[in-house]
Amino acid sequence: AAPAVTSALQLLALLQREGRLVDFLEQDIASFGDADVGVAARMVHEGCRKALRGHAKLAPVRREDEGATVTLEAGYSPAEVKLIGNVSGSAPYRGVLRHRGWRAETISLPTPVAGHDASIIAPAEVEL
């Protein structure tokens, strides 16, 4: 069965409402100066971070600091750890942690009201 998309659309709508993420991603920023992009990115970051932290609890997959040497024993979860670089042989693997990864511990999205169209990420705005 196809996955339900309502939850994904709800999260996207929250990121748009709080941080204008869709507006930022859909804007052609090639002609903007670095300072302008930096100001916009800071505002998007602040709003999206607020939305994410308000509705999800995330934790790193690995607890070690990035740059630390780690050993992956046989039976490690490829869903949790992606091997990159010169991969050969079999576990145990010894390498440098480049990204700790993220795991969703909890997520709490608003319950849609009857008649809500989740495909509308943000309504058009008309000032009168």
Side-chain angles (χ1 to χ4, degrees), residues 110-126:
T111 302
V113 296
H116 173 72
D117 183 354
S119 71
I120 303 300
I121 303 303
E125 297 176 2
V126 177

Side-chain angles (χ1 to χ4, degrees), residues 3 19 21 27 34 37 43 47 61 63-64 74 84 86 88 101 103 108 111 114 116 118 121-122 126:
L21 178 65
Q27 179 75 40
D34 289 348
V37 173
M43 292 184 330
V61 172
R63 297 290 178 187
E64 301 91 347
I84 59 174
N86 186 17
S88 63
R103 168 190 325 277
S108 172
T111 302
H116 173 72
I121 303 303
V126 177

Side-chain angles (χ1 to χ4, degrees), residues 72-90:
L72 301 174
E73 300 295 340
Y76 78 94
S77 170
E80 293 182 356
V81 179
K82 175 182 172 183
L83 300 178
I84 59 174
N86 186 17
V87 180
S88 63
S90 56

Side-chain angles (χ1 to χ4, degrees), residues 3-23:
V5 298
T6 302
S7 296
L9 292 172
Q10 283 182 295
L11 183 56
L12 187 57
L14 288 168
L15 294 172
Q16 169 62 19
R17 185 177 69 217
E18 297 294 332
R20 301 285 225 186
L21 178 65
V22 175
D23 293 344

